[in-house]
Amino acid sequence: MNDTRKLIRFTAATGFSVVLEFGNTEDKQDYEEKIKNAGIQCETIADFNLNFDQADLFMDMRSPECREQFDLDDWI
């Protein structure tokens, strides 16, 4: 089992720092590609902790509820 976290961070068009966590590499790469195609720098990060790391928005994209609420087009 691969328990490596799949996280990306980008600065949205609004100026907000956004961190997204995914359950699989394919979803992560799909979002990364869309963000980069919008001309926004996106980076893979190794870890993120809500208590110690900074982000204006953190979304756990492994959750169906989070996926439903988060529209990438609103941020890029």
Side-chain angles (χ1 to χ4, degrees):
M1 179 177 156
N2 183 358
D3 60 355
T4 303
R5 293 182 76 183
K6 293 149 189 70
L7 298 156
I8 58 175
R9 180 191 331 248
F10 67 97
T11 301
T14 60
F16 286 12
S17 173
V18 179
V19 174
L20 305 175
E21 181 165 6
F22 299 91
N24 63 61
T25 302
E26 294 78 19
D27 286 343
K28 178 180 129 345
Q29 290 173 338
D30 183 43
Y31 273 77
E32 273 182 308
E33 184 177 321
K34 289 176 185 175
I35 294 164
K36 289 178 180 178
N37 285 341
I40 297 173
Q41 185 176 359
C42 180
E43 65 177 321
T44 297
I45 58 175
D47 200 12
F48 183 80
N49 183 311
L50 289 173
N51 294 322
F52 301 108
D53 297 318
Q54 293 185 351
D56 295 306
L57 177 68
F58 173 82
M59 295 296 284
D60 186 344
M61 302 301 278
R62 298 171 297 177
S63 162
E65 291 84 10
C66 283
R67 279 187 175 273
E68 183 68 30
Q69 292 176 14
F70 184 79
D71 184 356
L72 183 60
D73 291 332
D74 290 343
W75 296 90
I76 57 175

